Amino acid sequence: MATVTYEKATRVYPGAERPAVDALHLEIACGEFLVLVGPSGCGKSTSLRMLAGLEDVDDGAIHIGDHDVTHLPPKDRDIAMVFQNYALYPHMSVADNMGFALKIAGVSKEERRRRVAEAAALLDLEPYLDRKPKALSGGQRQRVAMGRAIVREPRVFLMDEPLSNLDAKLRVQTRTQIAALQRRLAITTVYVTHDQVEAMTMGDRVAVMKDGKLQQCAAPRELYDRPANVFVAGFIGSPAMNLTEVAVDEDGARVAGTRVPLGRAAVRAIAAEGGSRATLGFRPESLEPVGSADGGFAVLVDVVEELGADAFCYGRLENGADVIAKVDARVPPRKGERLHFRIRPGETHLFSAKTGDRH
Amino acid sequence: MIGVTVVIVFCLAPFYWMVVSSFRRTSDIFDKSALPSPWSLENYTAVFDPDQGFLRSMANSLVVAGTTTALALVIATLTAYAMARLDFPFKRLVLTGIIATSMFPVVSIVVPLLKLFTDWDWINTYQAMVAPSLSFALPLAVWILTAFFRQIPIELEQAAMIDGCTQGQAFRRIVLPLAAPGVFTTAIITFVAAWNEFLIALSMTNDAAMQTAPVAISKFTGASQFETPFGSQMAAGVLVTIPLVVLVVVFQRRIVDGLTAGAVK
């Protein structure tokens, strides 16, 4: 168990114009489950591979505990990694796959067998210990990959999209298992995913990346409630937050001709920036239906998605901007219907039109 | 099915005739019957006549082909691994160049080689046969092994390195076992080619004690100078083929398809 620290770690691929990871600064606490999330090409996997020692660090440093591991080979870092495609050794049985690291480390045969058996029990892999990876199902292979990491009892777990090759149902199930397992073992974990639901449900903290830069690192709730910029606001949450460009004055913002009150501090910040425009964000569930005379804005319904517990209505404002609203699933609106909504007070997010940062 | 039958008949017919002829007596070597009558071991006795030096030539062949195969495997494995994993400029060109060198006709270099080896005092030595064989075996070996190494997902090596292996250990414990089918295929091809090599072996030796089996067979003498010893040549042919068949059967068991199945995804 150890802390992990990225100190302005940078990776520039030869021939690339901008860094794949740009001065990543991140401190991960002992036993913490940190999720790196972002769209493809955002540098999250590269960051993980830098920590693993599979990718060079061109600038800055990486520490595991008190050790500077920036330029150490992977074998000297005491880490275990679960690869996206599992990378099981096909010529070895499940038991040998899981015990391989111990064998290399010179652990005695009895000790090896005991620890493999322990991990196998934890992962329900006992009946398969003598099988080769090709005789396993996708979910079983995934568990072997996990087992290979667990047996090591490393200081840090690295997981690179370990669930992306599973089918949807198994993914949800395994997601919970991994999170529970991590809590139980209390080993510092860095987990990479592109799926924001995975990020939100598993992580103690979630680090959102884009174009090689860290956008925000916070607990899931914080990330959801106070996104640091437009990108995080749009990336976290499903369906995505409504983001619309608005004019702002002392009274608040105007959305399709309707006044939306804003926090005083935010309004002042915009004035200080010298602009009168900003990006207003509000989540689909922050909208509540009102009568047509009660001062809400009108939405023309295009599509209604009914998910059972929830229903989402995709529509257009009068000025043509798209808007998504969560509506009562028991009485969903019909296509083409005209509804009125207002934003619940205090549930607005305001971002600078220039920098995209939160006001 | 017809294709398979045609290939089998086409390939095995000469071999069958060789075996049948080897069991005929010298006097009825030109018989056309499907089976020899009467059966005779006369030719085999002739082959093992110490005057022919056949056993000695078999040993020579074994040394030459064995050394060539071992050296070719070691050098080609390392080269191919570099070719498959490292990225360097003009890689394709280098690979094409390597395969192109194996296309020179042997005949065209026999005379210069003979001159060179004479200067070096290499005539009647094993290296005079091993070195040229090696140079013909290597390009194909590198080519085949590169293809095999490319099939092995790089994540396996990375996983091994995270599991505590050095790059060398990862290569030996993970990559090499997985490339085994390629290594054995290459071994068979190299060994067969070196075993059957005739022109170089003929040119570089004039001492009967250094002849390889194919050369020795070509120099078999009949009972009189007017008689070509077809019978004993056939028998020797059968004997020379046996080690190859054994080798292929033994190695073929190791050539299992889809060894990397289940590694990724």
Side-chain angles (χ1 to χ4, degrees):
Chain A
M1 239 194 358
T3 60
V4 173
T5 317
Y6 286 90
E7 276 173 16
K8 302 228 178 304
T10 300
R11 172 68 175 141
V12 188
Y13 284 115
E17 275 170 28
R18 60 172 189 80
V21 175
D22 194 353
L24 178 64
H25 204 83
L26 200 56
E27 279 175 29
I28 304 162
C30 240
E32 186 175 2
F33 195 120
L34 182 104
V35 178
L36 284 171
V37 69
S40 43
C42 73
K44 54 189 190 300
S45 277
T46 309
S47 306
L48 190 78
R49 294 167 56 83
M50 285 160 79
L51 177 55
L54 299 174
E55 206 74 69
D56 291 334
V57 179
D58 294 309
D59 197 17
I62 297 176
H63 293 259
I64 296 177
D66 301 330
H67 299 277
D68 184 347
V69 298
T70 315
H71 300 293
L72 286 184
K75 71 184 180 70
D76 298 329
R77 298 189 180 206
D78 196 9
I79 46 168
M81 183 158 167
V82 178
F83 288 82
Q84 179 171 10
N85 54 22
Y86 315 143
L88 302 179
Y89 310 128
H91 56 305
M92 298 184 193
S93 68
V94 167
D96 289 343
N97 259 285
M98 287 166 67
F100 184 68
L102 301 179
K103 193 170 173 185
I104 295 290
V107 172
S108 75
K109 210 170 175 185
E110 295 79 59
E111 169 78 0
R112 224 155 65 206
R113 194 176 302 138
R114 189 184 61 74
R115 277 163 72 172
V116 167
E118 230 169 63
L122 205 59
L123 292 163
D124 290 327
L125 282 172
E126 280 154 320
Y128 311 111
L129 282 176
D130 294 326
R131 288 209 196 159
K132 291 275 175 66
K134 71 175 165 201
L136 298 178
S137 72
Q140 289 163 345
R141 284 178 200 174
Q142 201 281 332
R143 295 212 298 278
V144 175
M146 286 293 298
R148 201 165 62 177
I150 291 172
V151 165
R152 295 274 306 278
E153 295 171 16
R155 295 205 295 169
V156 185
F157 277 145
L158 311 181
M159 303 191 193
D160 190 359
E161 309 216 15
L163 304 183
S164 59
N165 283 332
L166 301 181
D167 62 57
K169 195 173 171 197
L170 199 55
R171 191 153 53 213
V172 174
Q173 203 181 331
T174 316
R175 187 169 83 196
T176 332
Q177 283 169 356
I178 291 181
L181 198 63
Q182 195 274 339
R183 301 279 185 279
R184 194 164 140 196
L185 300 170
I187 290 175
T188 314
T189 303
V190 183
Y191 185 104
V192 164
T193 179
H194 63 267
D195 178 352
Q196 54 103 6
V197 178
E198 245 171 62
M200 297 294 277
T201 51
M202 298 175 86
D204 292 324
R205 278 192 306 156
V206 177
V208 183
M209 294 184 73
K210 184 202 173 199
D211 295 340
K213 294 197 182 74
L214 180 63
Q215 304 292 313
Q216 184 177 9
C217 179
R221 191 72 243 176
E222 166 83 4
L223 211 58
Y224 192 79
D225 289 344
R226 292 186 56 80
N229 58 33
V230 173
F231 175 76
V232 177
F235 189 77
I236 299 293
S238 175
M241 184 190 278
N242 297 296
L243 291 163
T244 174
E245 186 102 336
V246 292
V248 178
D249 55 32
E250 287 99 76
D251 294 337
R254 303 202 78 78
V255 178
T258 320
R259 208 178 64 80
V260 176
L262 296 170
R264 203 175 291 274
V267 173
R268 229 180 284 130
I270 289 171
E273 207 182 55
S276 60
R277 299 196 69 77
T279 306
L280 176 73
F282 48 96
R283 300 221 174 261
E285 69 269 25
S286 297
L287 290 176
E288 58 183 1
V290 290
S292 58
D294 297 343
F297 44 78
V299 173
L300 185 66
V301 179
D302 282 335
V303 177
V304 176
E305 270 184 9
E306 289 186 68
L307 306 175
D310 298 318
F312 291 98
C313 142
Y314 293 71
R316 272 172 292 137
L317 295 176
E318 267 159 11
N319 64 9
D322 289 326
V323 75
I324 307 170
K326 187 174 162 187
V327 292
D328 193 337
R330 286 164 302 176
V331 278
R334 268 192 300 276
K335 214 154 63 166
E337 208 173 325
R338 210 178 156 77
L339 301 172
H340 285 79
F341 289 103
R342 73 173 186 128
I343 304 168
R344 284 200 193 88
E347 296 191 12
T348 54
H349 307 262
L350 203 62
F351 305 97
S352 161
K354 281 183 194 149
T355 61
D357 289 342
R358 184 184 188 88
H359 278 306
Chain B
M1 268 315 283
I2 295 174
V4 174
T5 317
V6 168
V7 168
I8 289 176
V9 169
F10 192 75
C11 292
L12 286 186
F15 189 72
Y16 170 76
W17 203 247
M18 180 170 87
V19 175
V20 168
S21 302
S22 74
F23 287 106
R24 293 189 206 276
R25 289 176 313 186
T26 317
S27 47
D28 42 42
I29 193 74
F30 292 116
D31 272 9
K32 294 192 188 66
S33 57
L35 287 172
S37 62
W39 289 74
S40 151
L41 285 176
E42 173 185 312
N43 292 322
Y44 287 89
T45 336
V47 167
F48 287 111
D49 182 340
D51 286 349
Q52 305 278 31
F54 182 70
L55 275 180
R56 167 79 203 191
S57 74
M58 283 279 268
N60 287 339
S61 274
L62 206 63
V63 170
V64 171
T67 317
T68 306
T69 308
L71 286 177
L73 282 186
V74 171
I75 300 171
T77 303
L78 298 177
T79 315
Y81 183 60
M83 285 298 209
R85 283 294 186 253
L86 301 182
D87 232 355
F88 51 87
F90 309 117
K91 194 159 102 170
R92 272 229 78 79
L93 205 66
V94 171
L95 211 55
T96 315
I98 288 178
I99 196 77
T101 56
S102 71
M103 293 169 188
F104 292 121
V106 189
V107 173
S108 65
I109 62 162
V110 161
V111 174
L113 264 185
L114 184 61
K115 177 128 182 38
L116 183 72
F117 287 168
T118 312
D119 289 348
W120 286 356
D121 262 346
W122 271 23
I123 298 303
N124 288 327
T125 60
Y126 286 133
Q127 65 263 36
M129 292 175 275
V130 170
S133 276
L134 194 58
S135 79
F136 286 106
L138 271 179
L140 192 64
V142 169
W143 189 265
I144 295 174
L145 284 172
T146 303
F148 267 91
F149 283 134
R150 278 215 188 109
Q151 283 174 6
I152 299 173
I154 193 144
E155 281 89 351
L156 288 181
E157 281 165 74
Q158 295 176 339
M161 272 152 67
I162 285 178
D163 272 350
C165 290
T166 59
Q167 190 130 33
Q169 279 175 315
F171 178 72
R172 202 163 46 80
R173 287 173 169 275
I174 306 296
V175 178
L176 218 46
L178 293 178
V183 173
F184 288 121
T185 309
T186 314
I188 289 178
I189 293 174
T190 310
F191 192 88
V192 170
W195 182 263
N196 287 335
E197 205 287 324
F198 176 70
L199 194 53
I200 300 269
L202 178 68
S203 316
M204 301 303 160
T205 54
N206 48 32
D207 178 357
M210 287 303 291
Q211 284 169 355
T212 60
V215 178
I217 295 173
S218 76
K219 293 192 174 169
F220 274 174
T221 45
S224 74
Q225 67 179 103
F226 304 110
E227 189 184 80
T228 311
F230 289 118
S232 48
Q233 281 182 347
M234 291 301 155
V238 172
L239 291 172
V240 164
T241 314
I242 288 171
L244 292 186
V245 173
V246 170
L247 189 82
V248 171
V249 168
V250 167
F251 278 179
Q252 194 138 51
R253 266 188 224 154
R254 312 295 303 260
I255 305 177
V256 259
D257 219 17
L259 203 58
T260 50
V264 293
K265 183 133 183 242

